[in-house]
Amino acid sequence: MKRSDRNAISELPIRELLYRWPDIKRAFLDMHMACIGCPFSRFGTAHDAARNYGREVDTFLEQLAQCVQQRRKSTHKRINAATKLN
């Protein structure tokens, strides 16, 4: 994943991350972070959450970036499959 994509992920509010990439919630749950449904998620970022939970920021952001990348790949596969059917 591009560094700029990872920076964007780190700067978006958690609520926006979850809206854009619902699969990203798995990363929060795997790290035992209660960010999903937290009122702070409206304006708190993944970077903030990692620091608040004492997690390694770069490792956590990389995990989020991988979730986004996997989502993009599966979306492209579905689009390509649907295009071939038409």
Side-chain angles (χ1 to χ4, degrees):
M1 170 158 278
K2 296 181 211 171
R3 184 94 175 139
S4 60
D5 287 344
R6 199 165 133 217
N7 287 342
I9 289 170
S10 74
E11 295 171 4
L12 284 172
I14 294 168
R15 185 183 216 174
E16 182 67 22
L17 288 175
L18 294 169
Y19 176 76
R20 289 186 187 190
W21 303 288
D23 298 341
I24 216 166
K25 66 184 168 197
R26 174 59 30 208
F28 286 97
L29 296 173
D30 288 347
M31 296 288 273
H32 304 283
M33 300 168 81
C35 299
I36 300 167
C38 175
F40 187 69
S41 69
R42 292 186 305 162
F43 48 87
T45 65
H47 188 270
D48 297 335
R51 283 189 320 193
N52 290 339
Y53 277 91
R55 305 292 191 259
E56 170 57 42
V57 174
D58 288 332
T59 302
F60 183 60
L61 293 177
E62 185 59 36
Q63 188 176 6
L64 294 179
Q66 288 174 4
C67 288
V68 170
Q69 191 71 8
Q70 288 173 354
R71 175 71 174 189
R72 286 180 181 164
K73 285 179 184 178
S74 67
T75 300
H76 288 294
K77 285 179 184 177
R78 283 195 313 264
I79 290 171
N80 289 338
T83 305
K84 289 178 183 178
L85 292 174
N86 293 328

